[in-house]
Amino acid sequence: MPMLDIKNLTLEIDTPMGWVSALDKVSLSIDTSEIRALVGESGSGKSLIVKSIVGAIPERWRVTADRMNWKGNDLLGMSGNQRRAITRNEISVILQNASAALDPSATLREQIEESIPSYRLTKGWFWQRRQQRLDIAIQELHRVGIRDHNLCLSSYAHQLPEDICQKFSIAMALVSKPKLLIADNPTVGMETTTKVQILKLLTKLNKTQGLSVLFVSHDLLAIAAMANTMTVLYCGQTVESGSIEQVKRRPLHPYTKALLDSAPSFRRDLPPKSPLSCLDGTIPTLQHLPIGCRLGPRCPRAQRECVKMPATRHIHGHSYACHFPLHRDKP
Amino acid sequence: MNSLLTVSGLSYRKQKSGLFSNRELFRLSPLSFELKRGETMAIMGENGSGKSLLAKLLVGVLQPEAGSILLNGEPMCDSRQQRRFSAIRMIFQHSKDSLNPGLTLGGQLEEALILNTNMSATERKRQIENTLVKVGMLPEHQYFYRHMLSEGQHQRAAVARALILDPQVIVADEPFAALDPSVRSQTANLLMNLQQQLGLGFIFISHNLGIVRHISDRILVLEKGKVVESGKTEVIFNWPKSEYTKRTIQAHQELISGQ
Ligand SMILES: Nc1ncnc2c1ncn2[C@@H]1O[C@H](COP(=O)(O)OP(=O)(O)OP(=O)(O)O)[C@@H](O)[C@H]1O
Ligand code: SF4
Ligand SMILES: [Mg+2]
């Protein structure tokens, strides 16, 4: 049984032009010790999935799902308290835009110490605990590569550069020793060496402590290096999902192929300065969603049938939703 | 071939006044380089190594402590501010924030033309429409407000803002960082295309080594305000000299081969 199991999650939000489905029958699952990447264009709904999982969406929006289970328990059916207990003890989230997600009115020391769960404090007397809290905080900061822990802990978020805030958010998310870490674009704009350090840390926690990770990112290189499985989202619909090897070696959905082809580092045969391949146009706005397959207007393989939503098909644990997938001949 | 941009002995000292005045003053040590027409230079370096500062010096947002910047062999000094602003243009780090929410895109492009040229209203309109088409947008987009543009169109709008004054050099601070792969490729293609057509010099700051390797001719590496390495892209990728460059490129290779 997967730890997190989402089947046909639909999220409708109200806009001035009426209700639109920002997420349309999204399916996603994460097993124990699995690192799953969630990729997709800007505006495809990745952050909305993250927010739906942790229940951080406005009350008036409509969330429905055939299944949305955490360890077999229905997340949508449980009380707010139960849900908060899970997001406090078992699931940690790093939101996009790290510095803005931190509390501006408290020092980073207060914030990280507050996140330390009580079972990590083994010492008896309160002054010993005080010291132990600080020790744990410092140790976590060192792990994510923050060397100057004193400066960091005594500062407020706005006083520090964005890259330190990013690393700090990762440290804070790990301090409660979660079962699942959801990281929304945690390495965006990071230097390569720092990024590799963070990826290694997550991989190590995954190997040694069985940490599961939902890694939301645009960085295909980082994803390919770290994740086991990958789910591709386009315009609020899951278009393809499978193991990294499967998806990379043999993408079945035209969007996935376009996505993989666009990364110059994946293509060693590419002459310098040659045009990079990409789909024409941009992702439509929620107010102007095409009917049927939402990739339709930009898809090189689109046919008349594509105005009907393609069903999701499965082959060998690899799933895709397309009428004319790449392993069939061009229509 | 003559160089388009010649920078020699450019340096800067950051005056930190106020509460923390005794904490490190930032110093950019004298640096020199040349850029030819149609050439692309990437600036790499740690966060806080002075990359954005160098970009600001080049476009004239900040004044250097010493040194000179020659464009086509002519000095660009203070009395010619106007020419400098139109000849070297910048694409800022967060294109989304750099557009004014209360003005249409066309209004904003026109502002730059009113401030920097003597064009008539019809000439301005033509220039705006031509520039939008150059960056792959539609003339109608001049009537759009910021919130009506998608992420990719924002990036194009930022390029249009840089191009509207027919510059010879474009300087961009992390133009690719926030973009998703397909918009990233579109923007990179757009810039490479414009370079071929217009012979633009392009200087950009980036942590994305895949893109750096693909589109740059030369690289300049900064560390704590000093140039620690500079040269041809392929040479630096194959034979990095400084510790920082070695570490960064090794990390990048590790990512590629770790797949
Ligand atoms: N509060 C909101 N009100 C209305 N629409 C919203 C709201 N939040 C998000 N959206 C819309 O939902 C869609 C998905 O947004 P989301 O933030 O999930 O994108 P994303 O995949 O995380 O993109 P990025 O890669 O840029 O982070 C977008 O079209 C966005 O405009
Ligand atoms: S269903 Fe049609 S439009 Fe959609 S991805 Fe497949 S071929 Fe393209
Ligand atoms: Mg997001």
Side-chain angles (χ1 to χ4, degrees), chain A residues 241-266:
Chain A
S241 173
S243 74
I244 289 285
E245 293 79 30
Q246 281 173 330
V247 175
K248 247 194 90 194
R249 192 168 312 135
R250 202 156 170 243
L252 300 178
H253 196 281
Y255 178 71
T256 314
K257 173 139 179 44
L259 187 77
L260 295 173
D261 283 347
S262 69
S265 310
F266 276 1

Side-chain angles (χ1 to χ4, degrees), chain B residues 133-149:
Chain B
V133 172
K134 253 187 226 161
V135 301
M137 294 176 82
L138 302 168
E140 285 98 276
H141 279 125
Q142 62 183 301
Y143 307 113
F144 278 48
Y145 287 91
R146 182 173 91 173
H147 68 271
M148 299 161 78
L149 299 172

Side-chain angles (χ1 to χ4, degrees), chain A residues 73-328:
Chain A
N73 301 315
D74 178 20
L75 280 171
L76 295 178
M78 65 179 59
S79 73
N81 276 341
Q82 282 172 310
R83 211 164 164 179
R84 270 189 294 279
I86 291 175
T87 42
R88 185 168 166 84
N89 304 323
E90 298 181 280
I91 306 179
S92 274
V93 195
I94 304 167
L95 292 176
Q96 209 168 3
N97 200 346
S99 58
L102 292 169
D103 182 349
S105 65
T107 62
L108 297 189
R109 177 170 174 181
E110 293 170 70
Q111 297 187 51
I112 192 167
E113 289 193 349
E114 197 189 328
S115 318
I116 299 174
S118 47
Y119 70 81
R120 286 193 73 178
L121 300 170
T122 48
K123 301 269 170 66
W125 301 97
F126 72 89
W127 64 86
Q128 291 175 311
R129 284 176 173 240
R130 200 180 131 81
Q131 184 59 41
Q132 196 181 16
R133 270 205 187 86
L134 183 60
D135 291 342
I136 292 177
I138 292 173
Q139 181 197 337
E140 295 288 337
L141 292 188
H142 287 175
R143 281 213 298 183
V144 297
I146 297 179
R147 273 162 281 175
D148 193 347
H149 53 257
N150 286 331
L151 177 65
C152 176
L153 288 174
S154 59
S155 302
Y156 292 89
H158 68 92
Q159 295 171 324
L160 293 172
E162 184 64 28
D163 63 313
I164 303 281
C165 289
Q166 267 174 314
K167 291 190 222 170
F168 177 82
S169 309
I170 297 171
M172 199 159 102
L174 292 174
V175 82
S176 62
K177 302 221 163 134
K179 299 276 179 300
L180 169 66
L181 175 72
I182 302 179
D184 195 348
N185 247 332
T187 57
V188 68
M190 265 190 191
E191 286 176 61
T192 316
T193 37
T194 316
K195 185 162 77 188
V196 169
Q197 187 183 11
I198 297 290
L199 297 180
K200 278 188 177 152
L201 171 67
L202 294 182
T203 311
K204 190 173 124 212
L205 292 176
N206 169 261
K207 295 257 154 61
T208 58
Q209 296 173 16
L211 173 74
S212 308
V213 184
L214 179 62
F215 184 62
V216 182
S217 177
H218 291 316
D219 187 339
L220 295 170
L221 213 50
I223 287 170
M226 181 176 80
N228 317 119
T229 52
M230 150 166 177
T231 296
V232 185
L233 202 69
Y234 181 80
C235 229
Q237 298 177 332
T238 14
V239 298
E240 183 157 3
S241 173
S243 74
I244 289 285
E245 293 79 30
Q246 281 173 330
V247 175
K248 247 194 90 194
R249 192 168 312 135
R250 202 156 170 243
L252 300 178
H253 196 281
Y255 178 71
T256 314
K257 173 139 179 44
L259 187 77
L260 295 173
D261 283 347
S262 69
S265 310
F266 276 1
R267 311 183 54 205
R268 267 166 252 190
D269 49 334
L270 196 69
K273 298 219 170 207
S274 56
L276 299 170
S277 77
C278 54
L279 290 176
D280 290 337
T282 45
I283 191 167
T285 57
L286 289 179
Q287 287 75 28
H288 297 100
L289 290 175
I291 36 173
C293 175
R294 292 179 176 180
L295 188 64
R298 299 176 68 191
C299 179
R301 293 170 75 89
Q303 301 289 313
R304 188 187 287 151
E305 287 88 327
C306 301
V307 298
K308 282 207 292 296
M309 181 60 206
T312 302
R313 296 196 178 79
H314 304 266
I315 21 173
H316 311 303
H318 188 163
S319 63
Y320 64 92
C322 173
H323 291 298
F324 306 104
L326 296 160
H327 62 297
R328 307 246 183 87

Side-chain angles (χ1 to χ4, degrees), chain B residues 4-72:
Chain B
L4 174 62
L5 191 71
T6 314
V7 172
S8 34
L10 197 69
S11 69
Y12 183 81
R13 197 193 291 268
K14 192 167 190 170
Q15 318 283 3
K16 265 204 176 172
S17 51
L19 219 57
F20 301 107
S21 53
N22 48 358
R23 274 222 322 263
E24 52 162 284
L25 301 173
F26 188 81
R27 194 171 154 63
L28 187 70
S29 306
L31 61 87
S32 308
F33 65 86
E34 285 190 2
L35 189 76
K36 298 197 181 74
R37 272 174 63 83
E39 208 177 27
T40 302
M41 184 174 92
I43 304 175
M44 282 168 46
E46 275 175 18
N47 292 318
S49 61
K51 299 179 305 272
S52 302
L53 184 86
L54 172 58
K56 286 182 189 149
L57 290 175
L58 292 176
V59 294
V61 179
L62 287 176
Q63 294 307 316
E65 178 190 44
S68 70
I69 304 175
L70 304 183
L71 187 76
N72 295 314

